[in-house]
Amino acid sequence: MLTLARPSRNFARMSTSAISTRPPSRVASVLVWTLVAIAGAGALGFLALSRGEQVSAAWLLVAALCTYAIGYRFHSAFISARIFALDDARLTPAERLNDGRDFVPTNRWVVFGHHFAAIAGPGPLVGPTLAAQFGYLPGVLWIVVGVVLGGAVQDMVILCASIRRDGKSLGQMAKEEIGPVAGFTALVAVLGIMIVLIAVLALVVVNALKSSPWGTVTIGLTIPIAMLMGVYMRWLRPGRVLEATGIGIVLLVVALYAGRWVAEQPALAATFTLSGKTLALLVMAYGFAASVIPVWLLLAPRDYLSAFVKIGVVVALAIGILVALPPLQMPALTQFTDGTGPIFAGALFPFAFITIACGSISGFHALIASGTTPKLLERERDARFIGYGAMLMESFVAVMALIAACALTPGVYFAINAPAAALGPTVQTAAEAVAKWGFVVTPAELEQLAKQVGETSLLSRTGGAPSLAVGMAHLFSHSLGGSAAMALWYHFALMFEALFILTTLDAGTRVGRFMVQDLGRHLWEPFGRTGWMPAVFLSSAVIVAMWGHFLWQGVIDPLGGVNTLWPLFGISNQLLAAVALCVGTTIIVKMGKARHAWATLLPLAWLTLVTMSACLAKIFSAQPRLGFIAHAHMLQAARAAGTLPAGVKSAGDLARMVANDYLDAGVTAFFALSFVVVLADSAREWFAVISGAKAPRSTEVPFERRAAVAGD
Amino acid sequence: MRFFSRSLVARIASIGAVFRRIIGAPDYEGYLTHLAARHPEITPLSREAFARDALVRRYDRPGSRCC
């Protein structure tokens, strides 16, 4: 509403870029936005109040799109005009520092695509799928409200702050705006978060490929495909990225069929039917190799392929959902909101808000928004479209993932996602367990579905990837190819997800290696030399060992590991977001705009509440299935009594699980303490400025006016 | 629009350039144009050297990839 009063200012930008050159009249504008608000509120209200009957996915789409439109039109305009006073006459870093390499003024649509491809990954696909255990309502509300008031605000504020500081990174800004303690804490926390992120994503891949020869062969083949592309771009046709990517995409389709062929040959299929432990070791070896071999050979080509595929999948998913408009089979709320759910432990508050991180608010985006993107913006006001807009798009991906999960019948959904300890070994025990939860699925249905998608079993394929793939296969085969194509679509979807994940995993391992080297440099200088092979090998081994430890712990966990690791990842990601919001708030306060700081303080307060409750619950809860320490005590009590709890194979495993529980509790406490340090340090700065003890002085690069150019 | 007044080949090339920049591939042509316009005295890197250098810098810091 704030901006309605001054339409001329807001439409100035639109009139230069949009097709329409005349601003609509004020009455028409008020009318249109009132209608959007009514439609959005109506759809949300309908979703919230409908009970017992099936709801069409269309309601969810309308609710999401209307909320996004309102948020973009009003809240992002507020941040753009009132907080940062973004000004197209001000030179951007891309223009002032243009070097033709890192700093390059780039068309806003291209930057949007680039930024979106960088922020979107497996996170918004997996989180909402897992959170569907509470029903569709908590997920959709948190995704659309959280993004509009939190996630998109964070991305945009950090992007604006970075643009005004020559593209400085989040760590640098934390150090300069808040203080050296906060800066160092943020740096170490980022490394910790990276380790947990890689471990949980690796676990998702391992769980998706376990005992699946088709999937294993297809995903395995993507590695030589990427290397072939690398060789092509290096020696055969240097720099011809698009040709190589085109070849890569064709080969991906070949790999899909090759996987099916292998799965149909009994002898070969047996060779590629791998256990979780073997796959975990292979993934670790892959991460290590990606970190030490030259980037042109594996990382870069895989990244190009993945970026293309990512955009393709998002478009395909959107088309699939729009064509099918499936009814949501999942109820609005399930009985698991009380914390008894089989997929992950913990009640609706705070764990729905932890499980869905990417899609609502994701701290990792602050690293991107203060990384490559601010060095590309052609005009300051593009920060609204790119910072706020691209995050809305990611949120929409999360909504689609939620729809795909909730379009499955709940019985099937829980049979795929619940751990083996809850379902038992056979389709019969699984059907009984699901019936106890109040949902219906027959053993025959489960067998039939597994056969349709070309797997021996779909039971307890935890991690969200297989159930999303089943959901997508349902949607696609509904519109294209019929049920005969189901198996191909399923493995197609699985391949895409694994491709995104491995791209994050290999790039993350390499970045982690540089961070380890950078920290280790202070202890022993030669360790920091990025070109010295012993240091490269040692630091890569250190980082792989760190995430590998969590991965291994997840693989041997009888509850499936995702159970423990995903909440840990959610907590760390949300805490990074809270750190980014601390930085953003400090910057806003120091600009002398403390009265507008509610825009970042509101999501910061919510995240503080959510993450601190979750940390306390994970560490201190008396329930063994929720609290790490209580779980360790339960295991120790079992050992003292001379018994082994269900699913634990040996006394050695039990001792390891106890140690891991304490480690997890320690890691959680470390994240929580890091955040408290940053928050306290920031709050000190805010009060110093607000009380007048310190002059509000912005550290922005001074205003420099662009010389008028024709066409502006 | 400028786009439609150009030849078909030029149009395909410009679409290709957009895709290359979206996926973050090194933009050698853009680099040459930039040097020619701003720093005509500098001898540009070869295509291979430019691509090598761009890749090294892309993967040495957090914030190039996300979850």
Side-chain angles (χ1 to χ4, degrees):
Chain A
M1 293 302 145
L2 283 157
T3 46
L4 267 185
R6 27 175 62 189
S8 57
R9 190 164 165 185
N10 286 298
F11 288 111
R13 168 80 205 185
M14 279 179 68
S15 61
T16 58
S17 57
I19 302 148
S20 136
T21 49
R22 283 177 57 184
S25 79
R26 190 167 160 201
V27 177
S29 166
V30 171
L31 201 68
V32 166
W33 287 106
T34 311
L35 283 177
V36 172
I38 292 173
L44 277 174
F46 180 82
L47 286 171
L49 297 176
S50 66
R51 290 285 181 279
E53 71 269 36
Q54 275 183 5
V55 175
S56 162
W59 289 99
L60 236 137
L61 292 176
V62 170
L65 293 175
C66 290
T67 315
Y68 297 159
I70 302 259
Y72 187 77
R73 172 64 184 79
F74 297 103
H75 202 38
S76 73
F78 168 77
I79 297 167
S80 165
R82 297 299 176 88
I83 296 184
F84 283 96
L86 296 183
D87 185 351
D88 280 351
R90 186 175 187 147
L91 282 181
T92 59
E95 293 173 299
R96 270 188 301 103
L97 307 174
N98 188 347
D99 59 5
R101 308 161 127 198
D102 293 335
F103 291 88
V104 183
T106 308
N107 175 283
R108 61 203 300 240
W109 291 95
V110 173
V111 186
F112 183 91
H114 181 78
H115 184 69
F116 176 72
I119 62 172
L125 299 175
V126 173
T129 306
L130 300 180
Q133 99 164 341
F134 292 132
Y136 63 78
L137 190 61
V140 71
L141 285 178
W142 168 231
I143 291 171
V144 304
V145 177
V147 74
V148 162
L149 293 176
V153 173
Q154 173 210 252
D155 290 18
M156 181 175 171
V157 165
I158 294 297
L159 180 59
C160 291
S162 183
I163 291 171
R164 289 274 170 89
R165 285 162 187 77
D166 287 345
K168 279 200 179 124
S169 71
L170 182 72
Q172 281 171 308
M173 288 194 283
K175 192 168 140 197
E176 285 166 22
E177 303 295 327
I178 305 174
V181 177
F184 181 75
T185 313
L187 192 72
V188 179
V190 167
L191 182 62
I193 292 161
M194 197 94 103
I195 289 164
V196 176
L197 165 75
I198 296 175
V200 72
L201 291 180
L203 184 60
V204 170
V205 168
V206 166
N207 283 350
L209 300 185
K210 206 157 52 182
S211 337
S212 166
W214 184 343
T216 307
V217 169
T218 303
I219 310 301
L221 280 174
T222 63
I223 297 167
I225 290 173
M227 292 169 95
L228 200 69
M229 285 171 62
V231 168
Y232 185 91
M233 287 187 285
R234 182 79 166 191
W235 287 314
L236 298 178
R237 302 263 293 157
R240 307 291 175 204
V241 171
L242 289 183
E243 287 173 19
T245 310
I247 295 171
I249 289 175
V250 172
L251 290 177
L252 283 186
V253 178
V254 175
L256 190 63
Y257 282 93
R260 181 169 75 174
W261 182 79
V262 167
E264 283 164 357
Q265 318 298 316
L268 277 175
T271 316
F272 289 99
T273 303
L274 303 177
S275 70
K277 287 183 180 179
T278 315
L279 282 163
L281 291 174
L282 288 174
V283 170
M284 286 184 230
Y286 169 73
F288 181 81
S291 171
V292 296
I293 64 176
V295 281
W296 61 264
L297 184 56
L298 184 58
L299 241 65
R302 196 184 246 302
D303 238 3
Y304 299 149
L305 203 56
S306 167
F308 257 115
V309 161
K310 199 173 285 180
I311 294 168
V313 165
V314 168
V315 172
L317 189 57
I319 294 174
I321 286 180
L322 282 176
V323 170
L325 279 183
L328 303 179
Q329 310 281 348
M330 189 70 78
L333 289 169
T334 65
Q335 77 271 29
F336 298 134
T337 49
D338 62 0
T340 54
I343 297 173
F344 56 90
L348 180 67
F349 181 87
F351 286 97
F353 309 99
I354 292 295
T355 307
I356 301 181
C358 311
S360 296
I361 179 161
S362 165
F364 249 81
H365 295 186
L367 302 182
I368 318 263
S370 62
T372 318
T373 310
K375 298 177 181 136
L376 299 176
L377 260 69
E378 212 171 14
R379 294 289 183 272
E380 269 205 339
R381 291 174 75 169
D382 292 349
R384 180 181 168 193
F385 174 58
I386 291 150
Y388 202 94
M391 181 61 199
L392 292 182
M393 179 103 159
E394 161 151 315
S395 175
F396 190 61
V397 174
V399 168
M400 294 195 291
L402 186 70
I403 291 176
C406 294
L408 296 175
T409 56
V412 168
Y413 167 84
F414 283 104
I416 300 176
N417 285 301
L423 289 179
T426 65
V427 284
Q428 280 78 18
T429 58
E432 280 163 27
V434 167
K436 260 187 230 140
W437 296 325
F439 302 108
V440 186
V441 70
T442 63
E445 269 178 274
L446 289 174
E447 265 171 357
Q448 163 85 18
L449 186 65
K451 222 169 119 195
Q452 267 184 344
V453 300
E455 295 281 348
T456 47
S457 163
L458 279 173
L459 294 185
S460 302
R461 305 296 291 270
T462 58
S467 88
L468 182 68
V470 171
M472 282 171 81
H474 256 301
L475 288 171
F476 291 152
S477 62
H478 177 90
S479 24
L480 278 170
S483 61
M486 190 88 171
L488 278 172
W489 282 122
Y490 172 83
H491 284 93
F492 209 48
L494 212 56
M495 177 177 77
F496 289 158
E497 288 176 73
L499 198 61
F500 301 167
I501 290 179
L502 291 179
T503 311
T504 303
L505 185 142
D506 52 27
T509 305
R510 196 175 176 92
V511 167
R513 177 198 120 197
F514 281 104
M515 294 173 82
V516 168
Q517 284 196 286
D518 194 43
L519 289 171
R521 192 166 48 96
H522 300 295
L523 299 177
W524 186 48
E525 193 277 324
F527 190 71
R529 292 180 206 158
T530 51
W532 190 46
M533 272 303 146
V536 168
F537 273 75
L538 191 61
S539 52
S540 302
V542 167
I543 192 91
V544 172
M546 288 200 273
W547 63 254
H549 177 86
F550 285 99
L551 170 61
W552 192 257
Q553 161 193 341
V555 168
I556 60 167
D557 186 338
L559 289 177
V562 170
N563 217 313
T564 308
L565 275 179
W566 190 266
L568 208 55
F569 159 64
I571 287 173
S572 65
N573 199 1
Q574 303 294 52
L575 280 176
L576 184 59
V579 168
L581 288 167
C582 281
V583 173
T585 309
T586 312
I587 283 169
I588 293 171
V589 169
K590 286 191 169 177
M591 282 166 84
K593 302 275 178 78
R595 67 188 181 287
H596 294 321
W598 62 266
T600 46
L601 280 173
L602 180 76
L604 177 58
W606 174 248
L607 283 187
T608 308
L609 186 66
V610 163
T611 50
M612 288 300 131
S613 322
C615 286
L616 289 177
K618 289 309 291 184
I619 300 174
F620 296 115
S621 167
Q623 297 174 43
R625 60 188 302 270
L626 185 57
F628 290 128
I629 293 178
H631 190 252
H633 285 167
M634 181 201 79
L635 292 176
Q636 282 164 326
R639 184 168 50 186
T643 55
L644 284 178
V648 184
K649 292 196 183 76
S650 67
D653 273 3
L654 191 136
R656 253 197 305 281
M657 285 170 72
V658 171
N660 285 330
D661 276 329
Y662 283 112
L663 176 69
D664 290 341
V667 168
T668 312
F670 164 73
F671 286 141
L673 282 178
S674 307
F675 170 63
V676 170
V677 167
V678 175
L679 182 65
D681 218 12
S682 313
R684 199 176 39 96
E685 284 288 308
W686 307 339
F687 288 119
V689 173
I690 292 169
S691 66
K694 200 168 176 177
R697 206 171 52 222
S698 174
T699 52
E700 289 179 5
V701 173
F703 183 93
E704 207 178 315
R705 182 173 291 280
R706 170 181 308 105
V709 183
D712 255 14
Chain B
M1 279 176 80
R2 240 181 316 158
F3 181 78
F4 293 104
S5 61
R6 280 183 277 172
S7 73
L8 185 67
V9 176
R11 268 183 270 167
I12 291 175
S14 78
I15 293 174
V18 166
F19 273 111
R20 269 206 304 276
R21 287 161 91 178
I22 286 180
I23 64 175
D27 181 16
Y28 185 62
E29 281 70 26
Y31 163 76
L32 287 184
T33 318
H34 168 77
L35 280 194
R38 300 271 191 105
H39 313 283
E41 73 286 357
I42 297 177
T43 323
L45 295 174
S46 68
R47 183 184 283 274
E48 286 75 24
F50 178 78
R52 228 165 275 190
D53 187 60
L55 286 185
V56 168
R57 279 177 306 154
R58 183 179 161 127
Y59 291 100
D60 68 354
R61 54 175 184 262
S64 62
R65 269 293 158 262
C66 183
C67 35

